Amino acid sequence: MESVEYHQALALLHWQIELGATEAICDAPVNRYEVPAAVENPKPATAGSSRVVPMAAGVDPVAEAARFAAAAQTLDELRAAMQAFEHCELKRGARKMVFSDGTPGARVMIVGEAPGREEDREGRPFVGAAGQLLDRMLAAVDMGRTHADAPVYITNMLPWRPPQDRDPKPDEIAMMRPFLIRHIELAKPEVLVIAGNGAAQALLGKRGITRLRGQWVQVQGLPALPMFHPAYLLRSPEFKREAWADLLEMKARLARG
């Protein structure tokens, strides 16, 4: 039998509840015409249970994320802090955490949106079809993840794949933003590339990449250039010319120092 992911199983359960199923099959038959004398309260989840444990009352997940992120003094410590963070439900349905790829300390840091299926399997950002296009785009301007003279460093705004590759929810973006900001601080790039609407929402608080692209903005005191996400270019190749212009502008900015 094919295994079912956590989010798929949860969606199936909600669907059955909507159809009227309120109990699982019991060991003994139940007379539905009899009114039970008492209703047994549900038992709390055990340590080995796969159910999502709700957060304690008054716990702010964004504040917790900020506390975890601030404590990290290196990229390895930040990775460990994100692994230990338990308040983002996306973690429970993902195979692997996707932290980064490329060369730490590179002059250029690219921030994408969220992992897809291939990234979830490999644990690295931009390894699917969009990642292959990104590599070709970077190679066209003599750059690359491990390029000897012009390396880049790559991450995503979310480290875990959303179910069915849906758009990230606002609370998920807000929850993981402190980790992203700390990631930028520790990576110390000279230039940021904001790839796609999701990254723009996380770093600029706005969407509309068609309007934002090609215009330099400031993020954490760094020059940042919004660009089309490579996945968008796969769907809309007519915008590759604009993406090429943005790459040339990024390279010119680096040359100016």
Side-chain angles (χ1 to χ4, degrees):
M1 181 177 178
E2 184 179 354
S3 62
V4 180
E5 293 183 353
Y6 166 78
H7 292 285
Q8 292 175 321
L10 184 62
L12 289 171
L13 179 60
H14 286 313
W15 177 69
Q16 292 178 14
I17 292 173
E18 290 177 359
L19 291 179
T22 58
E23 294 184 11
I25 297 175
C26 303
D27 294 332
V30 178
N31 186 345
R32 302 296 177 183
Y33 295 99
E34 292 182 356
V35 179
V39 178
E40 183 180 357
N41 292 325
K43 296 180 180 179
T46 62
S49 174
S50 60
R51 290 171 48 190
V52 176
V53 179
M55 288 181 292
V59 173
D60 182 350
V62 177
E64 282 290 282
R67 183 173 67 84
F68 273 55
Q73 301 302 311
T74 65
L75 290 173
D76 287 340
E77 289 181 4
L78 182 65
R79 181 197 294 266
M82 293 169 69
Q83 286 279 21
F85 187 72
E86 296 292 341
H87 297 310
C88 185
E89 190 174 320
L90 294 176
K91 179 180 180 180
R92 305 179 190 279
R95 290 183 177 90
K96 294 181 180 179
M97 188 185 84
V98 179
F99 184 71
S100 68
D101 196 21
T103 306
R107 298 179 67 191
V108 176
M109 181 175 182
I110 300 175
V111 179
E113 297 186 340
R117 181 178 60 182
E118 297 302 322
E119 290 78 12
D120 185 42
R121 287 176 175 174
E122 294 195 27
R124 296 190 298 123
F126 287 95
V127 295
Q132 295 168 18
L133 176 57
L134 176 64
D135 287 338
R136 294 195 297 270
M137 292 166 60
L138 293 172
V141 290
D142 298 321
M143 301 180 70
R145 305 181 194 220
T146 57
H147 194 286
D149 299 321
V152 300
Y153 184 65
I154 304 173
T155 190
N156 281 318
M157 65 162 190
L158 293 183
W160 298 292
R161 180 192 180 191
Q164 287 76 53
D165 294 327
R166 62 160 172 77
D167 289 339
K169 297 178 181 178
D171 63 316
E172 294 165 347
I173 296 175
M175 191 184 305
M176 301 311 297
R177 188 177 185 275
F179 290 110
L180 176 58
I181 296 301
R182 187 59 177 155
H183 203 157
I184 295 170
E185 293 173 348
L186 293 173
K188 299 179 181 178
E190 295 179 23
V191 170
L192 281 176
V193 172
I194 303 172
N197 269 321
Q201 179 67 44
L203 292 174
L204 304 177
K206 61 181 72 174
R207 299 176 69 87
I209 196 65
T210 303
R211 182 184 70 258
L212 295 170
R213 60 141 294 271
Q215 303 179 52
W216 288 99
V217 294
Q218 290 284 314
V219 174
Q220 296 298 110
L222 297 172
L225 184 65
M227 293 177 57
F228 289 121
H229 194 283
Y232 180 78
L233 296 176
L234 290 175
R235 300 190 301 268
S236 305
E238 65 271 19
F239 290 106
K240 286 184 178 181
R241 181 166 62 178
E242 285 82 353
W244 174 246
D246 293 341
L247 286 172
L248 293 178
E249 171 61 26
M250 176 189 66
K251 188 173 182 180
R253 180 66 178 252
L254 291 170
R256 293 195 297 268

